[in-house]
């Protein structure tokens, strides 16, 4: 199987089993606990405030914040999720 | 062009959304509402035609990493990555006009693919909130497990504790100008001010509450720093030529009690003078019958408030922080949102509160048996307790607080008059805490009084309570954020974020417990000093372990804001 196909089939299994939703919930919870969410909210506010015009588009905001958001996810959160995904794959595939 | 809804500015609609509405009429998003799925924990929403659907982009098959939008006109699902590929934008252009508006399938939020920006529709958001509330109210039990707390990792921004001790000059000033309350050379390991209170005939209800109040840090500091001096107060009352009743001042008696308890004398103290005054204040309650500790607490704070209000000659407002000492310490503000189930109109009210009355959770060692048809008189309390012991699930204080702040659908007998519909409608009510008190008293409603059946009964059952408690999830700002998110919805949107998260962290310092039957029970208070717990059972004070406290049947729990209690153990 091609790597891409494999990724796709794992992804679909994860969605169908509900594991993806559970992972998303877990991630959300962890990001809220460690203050990441608050930080992102503050970044967004700062971005909006520095704009002269009053209309910041959702796309602009996502563009601006996404790289910073990805960078600042704590390593232990990543590790925990990776572990969960590994054990799902071991179990499901 | 922004318009105002209930005083809130709503974002403008783009021309594409306006056209879409014009073409499809007022029920533009009806079909979409049927695909709205709300997950019970937290109430997050998504759009799925059937629950098992795995949405993916019709153009490229993408289903994982990018945002997916479903066209609200033709239901085509397309991916969208800002500034990268956007099959959503491509779809809007190729089908133009009329296919610009789409919905984010994982967030249930509207988006204009042409403007590449979020758009808002009041009707859609109202439908969302109704669906969300229905989901969260009908599947209550799942909310419980969600709260299993993974430890509070939120960053602390406390001011550092700095030890202060007087220099030589200050020492001289202090010794010359004051008389120490007690001999400081007395090196007992029992904390200062911990003194038993004699039972004056079924007065453990009073003693238990007094012990908690005597060791409420802010009350203690207030009285010990002479803020209500009983000699001055009585002189003033005489000078004002107040009658006999005018001279009554419960705060004066509290002041006397603080002096006695913190005098260094360890022999049990008899609060006889206080009891006598309290009887005079509350003549209708004067009897040697066992009283309810919580009622005593409320009436005592009320008397202190009344007197101060009278002395100052102006009405005080409880929640404002500018009131008597009782309210400055214990008063918070509750917010209640009542939403019309027909149109979504919400009316918001704010009320001061002096404690948080909490029901034990049903089906969890609490009032589960209230649904049984047995008659409930006091003699089958024993039988009930036995049946409860079989129920091994545990109720928790956090569970109670979640239920306290959960949207609740009021019965058809409690319809409210909707200003918008102009008729009485069924409604959904949600409570939240607008302002936290400095000291939070949680009152577990263990006594049920039924005026119809002319009897009372006690709800036994264990309740777990944490030693530290973060109240942030129950604040109006959090409740509204999780309920409405960034929906435009007619609610009073003036809730600021809590000014800082440290004021929402609380520490337990006193637990008033009740054991035994309703009519022949006994009140005992557990107090925490640093990390040591003490049991105050009328005249007897004993050291106890944490586990004893955790196992006790809590009736009133007293928590103080953590930032106000620096503890030696936390240096
Ligand atoms: Zn379309
Ligand atoms: Zn695509
Ligand atoms: Zn548009
Ligand atoms: Zn007084
Ligand atoms: Zn007051
Ligand atoms: Zn209405």
């Amino acid at each position: 199987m091609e790597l891409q196909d494999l990724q796709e089939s794992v992804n679909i299994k994860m969605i169908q089993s509900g594991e993806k939703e559970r992972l998303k919930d877990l991630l959300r919870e962890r990001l809220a606990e460690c203050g990441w969410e608050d930080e992102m909210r503050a970044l967004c506010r700062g971005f909006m405030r520095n704009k002269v015009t009053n209309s910041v588009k959702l796309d602009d905001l996502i563009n601006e914040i996404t790289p910073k958001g990805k960078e600042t996810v704590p390593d232990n959160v990543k590790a925990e999720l990776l572990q969960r995904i590994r054990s799902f794959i071991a179990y499901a595939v | 062009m922004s318009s105002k809804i209930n005083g809130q500015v709503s974002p403008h609609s783009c021309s594409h959304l306006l056209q879409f509405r014009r073409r499809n009429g007022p029920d533009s998003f009806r079909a979409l509402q049927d695909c709205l799925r709300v997950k019970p924990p937290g109430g997050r929403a998504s759009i799925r035609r059937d629950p098992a659907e795995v949405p993916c982009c019709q153009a490229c098959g993408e289903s994982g990493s990018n945002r997916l939008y479903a066209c609200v006109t033709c239901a085509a699902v397309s991916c969208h990555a800002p500034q990268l590929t956007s099959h959503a934008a491509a779809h809007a252009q190729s089908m133009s006009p009329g296919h610009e508006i789409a919905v984010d399938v994982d967030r249930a939020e509207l988006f204009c693919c042409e403007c590449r920006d979020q758009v808002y529709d009041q009707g859609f958001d109202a439908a969302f909130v109704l669906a969300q509330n229905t989901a969260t109210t009908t599947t209550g039990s799942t909310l419980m497990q969600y709260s299993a707390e993974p430890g509070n990792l939120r960053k602390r921004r406390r001011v550092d504790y700095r030890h202060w001790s007087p220099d030589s000059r200050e020492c001289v000033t202090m010794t010359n100008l004051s008389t120490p309350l007690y001999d400081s050379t007395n090196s007992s390991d029992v904390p200062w001010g911990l003194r038993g209170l004699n039972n004056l005939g079924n007065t453990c209800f009073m003693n238990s509450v007094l012990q908690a109040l005597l060791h409420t840090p802010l009350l203690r500091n207030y009285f010990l720093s002479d803020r209500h001096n009983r000699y001055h107060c009585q002189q003033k009352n005489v000078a004002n030529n107040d009658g006999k009743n005018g001279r009554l001042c419960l705060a004066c008696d509290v002041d006397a009690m603080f002096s006695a308890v913190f005098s260094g004398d360890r022999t049990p103290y008899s609060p006889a003078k206080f009891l006598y005054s309290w009887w005079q204040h509350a003549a209708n309650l004067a009897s040697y019958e066992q009283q309810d500790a919580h009622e005593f607490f409320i009436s005592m704070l009320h008397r202190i408030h009344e007197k101060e209000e009278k002395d100052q000659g102006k009405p005080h407002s409880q929640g404002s922080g500018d009131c008597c000492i009782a309210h400055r310490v214990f008063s918070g503000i509750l917010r209640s949102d009542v939403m019309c189930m027909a149109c979504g109109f919400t009316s918001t009210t704010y009320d001061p509160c002096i404690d948080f009355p909490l029901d034990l959770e049903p089906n969890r060692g609490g009032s589960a048996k209230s649904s049984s048809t047995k008659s409930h008189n006091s003699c089958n309390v024993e039988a009930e307790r036995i049946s409860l012991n079989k129920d091994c699930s545990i109720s928790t204080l956090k569970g109670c607080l979640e239920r306290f702040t959960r949207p609740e659908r009021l019965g058809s007998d409690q319809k409210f008059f909707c200003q918008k519909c102009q008729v009485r409608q069924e409604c959904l009510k949600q409570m939240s805490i607008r302002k936290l008190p400095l000291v939070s008293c949680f009152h577990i409603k263990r006594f049920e009084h039924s005026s119809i059946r002319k009897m009372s009964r006690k709800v036994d059952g264990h309740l777990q309570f944490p030693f530290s408690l973060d109240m942030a999830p129950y604040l109006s700002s959090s409740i509204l954020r999780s309920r409405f998110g960034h929906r435009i919805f007619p609610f009073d949107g003036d809730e600021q974020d809590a000014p800082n998260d440290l004021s929402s962290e609380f520490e337990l310092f006193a637990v008033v417990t009740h054991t035994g039957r309703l009519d022949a029970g006994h009140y005992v208070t557990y107090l925490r000093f640093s990390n040591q717990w003490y049991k105050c059972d009328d005249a007897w004070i004993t050291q106890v372990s944490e586990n004893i406290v955790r196992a006790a049947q809590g009736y009133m729990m007293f928590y103080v804001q953590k930032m106000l209690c620096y503890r030696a153990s936390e240096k």
Side-chain angles (χ1 to χ4, degrees):
Chain A
M1 232 196 284
E2 295 267 327
L3 179 66
Q4 224 173 356
D5 295 340
L6 188 66
Q7 267 178 352
E8 196 48 38
S9 80
V10 167
N11 184 37
I12 289 178
K13 271 214 171 83
M14 284 186 108
I15 296 173
Q16 284 168 340
S17 64
E19 176 70 1
K20 190 152 182 178
E21 272 307 302
R22 283 191 290 276
L23 284 176
K24 279 187 186 169
D25 286 341
L26 179 74
L27 179 63
R28 252 180 225 113
E29 206 176 299
R30 292 289 180 265
L31 291 177
E33 282 159 28
C34 68
W36 182 91
E37 202 187 85
D38 291 338
E39 251 167 65
M40 288 308 117
R41 199 172 288 122
L43 272 179
C44 291
R45 281 207 186 115
F47 179 71
M48 311 274 280
R49 222 170 270 140
N50 289 335
K51 286 282 159 187
V52 193
T53 61
N54 222 349
S55 62
V56 175
K57 292 184 182 301
L58 178 67
D59 269 14
D60 304 337
L61 201 60
I62 293 175
N63 260 331
E64 175 72 17
I65 304 299
T66 306
K68 290 175 187 151
K70 281 183 176 162
E71 261 167 44
T72 50
V73 174
D75 285 341
N76 58 338
V77 175
K78 287 184 195 162
E80 185 181 359
L81 257 92
L82 192 63
Q83 190 48 46
R84 279 278 296 258
I85 295 168
R86 278 211 180 104
S87 48
F88 176 82
I89 294 175
Y91 170 80
V93 183
Chain B
M1 29 174 267
S2 54
S3 57
K4 279 198 158 194
I5 306 163
N6 279 18
Q8 208 203 3
V9 181
S10 79
H12 78 280
S13 312
C14 74
S15 60
H16 310 102
L17 180 64
L18 291 174
Q19 272 164 27
F20 176 78
R21 280 205 206 110
R22 212 169 295 136
R23 266 197 312 278
N24 296 279
D27 270 346
S28 301
F29 294 99
R30 182 99 300 227
L32 200 55
Q33 285 163 27
D34 299 334
C35 306
L36 203 54
R37 310 209 177 255
V38 179
K39 256 185 26 172
R44 283 192 316 102
S46 58
I47 300 286
R48 296 287 187 275
R49 274 164 292 198
D50 77 278
E53 184 186 355
V54 178
C56 57
C57 175
Q58 285 188 350
C60 68
E62 158 78 43
S63 68
S65 50
N66 291 333
R67 287 171 181 247
L68 289 176
Y69 288 95
C71 173
V72 294
T73 303
C74 71
V77 175
S78 319
C79 66
H80 174 72
Q83 285 188 347
L84 297 168
T85 41
S86 173
H87 290 128
H91 174 81
Q93 267 152 23
S94 66
M95 307 287 283
S96 177
H99 292 245
E100 295 89 358
I101 306 300
V103 61
D104 185 327
V105 298
D106 289 319
R107 292 172 184 81
E109 293 167 2
L110 297 174
F111 186 77
C112 175
C113 300
E114 188 62 37
C115 302
R116 295 191 167 214
D117 199 9
Q118 188 113 352
V119 288
Y120 303 88
D121 181 83
Q122 205 190 334
F124 176 73
D125 281 353
F128 166 85
V129 173
L130 285 173
Q132 190 188 41
N133 284 324
T134 315
T136 39
T137 42
T138 49
T139 50
S141 56
T142 38
L143 272 165
M144 296 300 158
Q145 67 200 60
Y146 188 65
S147 72
E149 157 213 50
N152 189 355
L153 304 173
R154 192 170 299 151
K155 275 180 217 147
R156 296 260 160 79
R157 275 176 262 141
R158 298 178 61 173
V159 179
D160 286 335
Y161 170 81
R162 273 187 304 142
H163 183 73
W164 175 85
S165 52
D167 60 28
S168 54
R169 205 176 42 112
E170 286 163 332
C171 277
V172 172
T173 318
M174 284 196 292
T175 22
N176 289 344
L177 297 177
S178 60
T179 359
L181 269 171
Y182 76 113
D183 181 8
S184 54
T185 54
N186 172 12
S187 60
S188 155
D189 28 314
V190 182
W192 184 44
L194 192 52
R195 188 172 177 186
L197 299 174
N198 286 318
N199 191 317
L200 306 171
N202 286 331
T203 56
C204 60
F205 74 93
M206 176 180 85
N207 287 349
S208 61
V209 169
L210 289 179
Q211 286 290 11
L213 296 181
L214 284 165
H215 297 284
T216 296
L218 297 129
L219 279 183
R220 181 198 61 204
N221 295 352
Y222 178 87
F223 282 101
L224 291 185
S225 59
D226 222 18
R227 300 283 297 281
H228 190 103
N229 184 303
R230 57 190 180 281
Y231 304 108
H232 290 168
C233 182
Q234 291 307 315
Q235 268 171 14
K236 205 171 63 196
N237 291 340
V238 171
N240 290 351
N241 216 355
D242 289 341
K244 182 179 170 287
N245 276 336
R247 252 169 284 157
L248 288 176
C249 175
L250 202 63
C252 285
D253 297 302
V254 175
D255 184 48
M257 189 160 37
F258 266 102
S259 301
V261 163
F262 285 85
S263 68
D265 187 349
R266 296 287 180 191
T267 57
Y269 173 74
S270 290
K273 171 122 196 331
F274 177 88
L275 181 65
Y276 176 71
S277 300
W278 187 65
W279 279 347
Q280 286 189 307
H281 283 288
N284 51 332
L285 296 170
S287 78
Y288 276 95
E289 264 174 64
Q290 177 72 275
Q291 303 278 345
D292 182 288
H294 175 252
E295 281 169 24
F296 169 73
F297 169 72
I298 296 295
S299 86
M300 181 173 161
L301 297 188
H302 183 69
R303 304 287 155 200
I304 292 176
H305 171 83
E306 241 178 16
K307 169 74 175 155
E308 189 155 324
E309 193 171 58
K310 195 168 142 280
D311 284 356
Q312 312 248 321
K314 58 168 189 192
H316 282 290
S317 62
Q318 255 199 51
S320 68
D322 168 38
C323 200
C324 63
I325 181 62
H327 288 128
R328 284 213 301 274
V329 173
F330 288 102
S331 194
I333 298 176
L334 288 180
R335 170 180 173 138
S336 125
D337 292 283
V338 177
M339 183 178 77
C340 169
M341 294 294 283
C343 74
F345 177 84
T346 302
S347 102
T348 302
T349 49
Y350 297 99
D351 293 297
C353 66
I354 200 141
D355 60 5
F356 300 97
L358 300 174
D359 287 303
L360 276 174
E361 297 163 62
N363 311 320
R364 290 190 178 229
S367 49
K369 68 252 185 228
S370 62
S371 55
S372 77
T373 48
K374 283 187 288 185
S375 72
H376 294 297
N377 44 43
S378 52
C379 52
N380 63 17
V381 166
E382 282 306 318
E384 283 172 352
R385 188 178 307 140
I386 292 161
S387 72
L388 280 168
N389 285 343
K390 282 187 230 151
D391 188 353
C392 52
S393 60
I394 310 144
S395 26
T396 65
L397 183 62
K398 288 188 179 180
C400 291
L401 278 165
E402 258 159 48
R403 275 162 33 87
F404 181 70
T405 52
R406 184 183 305 159
E408 174 197 7
R409 197 174 182 148
L410 297 184
S412 48
D413 52 327
Q414 296 182 71
K415 286 184 180 174
F416 95 125
F417 182 80
C418 172
Q419 286 178 40
K420 211 170 158 197
C421 303
Q422 290 291 314
V423 279
R424 288 166 66 78
Q425 295 280 20
E426 288 203 15
C427 59
L428 198 77
K429 184 180 175 185
Q430 185 167 34
M431 306 289 291
S432 55
I433 301 167
R434 166 67 178 273
K435 177 176 165 274
L436 285 164
L438 299 175
V439 175
S440 293
C441 170
F442 299 104
H443 163 223
I444 310 303
K445 295 200 261 174
R446 290 189 179 277
F447 301 110
E448 290 179 356
H449 305 287
S450 161
S451 51
I452 304 156
R453 285 178 293 170
K454 287 216 168 38
M455 60 184 142
S456 304
R457 62 188 196 92
K458 186 185 171 195
V459 184
D460 277 297
H462 184 61
L463 177 85
Q464 270 185 3
F465 46 90
F467 285 6
S468 323
L469 177 66
D470 187 1
M471 293 287 283
Y474 320 111
L475 292 176
S476 302
S477 53
S478 323
I479 297 278
L480 292 175
R481 189 189 300 146
S482 70
R483 181 167 163 193
F484 299 108
H486 26 107
R487 309 274 158 193
I488 46 161
F489 191 69
F491 71 94
D492 175 11
D494 66 344
E495 286 305 336
Q496 301 296 312
D497 282 346
N500 47 38
D501 55 18
L502 51 89
S503 60
S504 69
E505 287 180 35
F506 283 75
E507 285 239 314
L508 183 65
F509 68 93
V511 185
V512 172
T513 66
H514 184 269
T515 48
R517 300 209 334 223
L518 175 68
D519 50 344
H522 185 51
Y523 288 104
V524 161
T525 295
Y526 293 95
L527 291 176
R528 175 152 81 165
F529 292 87
S530 291
N531 274 335
Q532 179 60 54
W533 283 92
Y534 294 86
K535 179 183 179 186
C536 307
D537 181 353
D538 288 328
W540 295 278
I541 306 266
T542 41
Q543 275 198 17
V544 291
S545 74
E546 259 182 42
N547 293 338
I548 303 244
V549 180
R550 290 190 200 277
Q553 199 175 81
Y555 179 50
M556 294 164 76
M557 279 76 142
F558 292 82
Y559 286 82
V560 61
Q561 284 195 10
K562 206 168 191 169
M563 62 189 281
L564 297 173
C565 73
Y566 291 106
R567 289 188 295 121
S569 56
E570 261 191 35
K571 253 182 259 178

